Amino acid sequence: MARAYLRIYGRVQGVFFRATMKEVADSLGVKGWVRNMPDGSVEAVVEGPREAVEEVIKWAHRGPPLARVKRVVIVWEPYRGEFNEFYIRYDTEPYEPEEIRREVHELG
């Protein structure tokens, strides 16, 4: 099992990013959350089987059709198994990932 924190930058708000990420996560059986941030980015925490988490991350690099992803920050965290579903959050309460390893992917 794996857990990853994602921060996605680019044109990622107002393009159905959160709703589509929830559909993708639900179809893969992963749990966690996704939300818009005040700076225009999208933030998410994804937990589940490693392969499924990696599929969500792969999807996040392109997003839904109207999105234009420029950068994805991935912070691998210890698996916690704390979620029962994948949901959309509407708060902006700070979240500090418990970092094991960080990756930054710059995209065209």
Side-chain angles (χ1 to χ4, degrees), residues 1-3 29 31 47-51 53 76-81:
M1 300 298 269
R3 178 181 173 114
K31 315 297 184 209
E47 283 193 333
R50 177 78 181 209
E51 300 79 22
V53 170
W76 293 97
E77 298 185 272
Y79 177 76
R80 296 184 199 160

Side-chain angles (χ1 to χ4, degrees), residues 22-74:
K22 179 175 175 11
E23 290 175 8
V24 169
D26 287 345
S27 73
L28 293 167
V30 299
K31 315 297 184 209
W33 53 263
V34 62
R35 66 180 172 180
N36 284 343
M37 297 304 292
D39 67 358
S41 67
V42 168
E43 183 177 64
V45 172
V46 183
E47 283 193 333
R50 177 78 181 209
E51 300 79 22
V53 170
E54 288 175 349
E55 281 299 313
V56 173
I57 292 169
K58 190 169 146 183
W59 175 86
H61 280 75
R62 61 183 183 280
L66 295 175
R68 295 294 173 262
V69 177
K70 299 288 186 189
R71 181 169 56 141
V72 179
V73 176
I74 305 157

Side-chain angles (χ1 to χ4, degrees), residues 13 33 35-39 43 89-95:
Q13 290 189 15
W33 53 263
R35 66 180 172 180
N36 284 343
M37 297 304 292
D39 67 358
E43 183 177 64
R89 285 178 60 172
Y90 295 95
D91 67 283
T92 55
E93 183 177 322
Y95 178 82

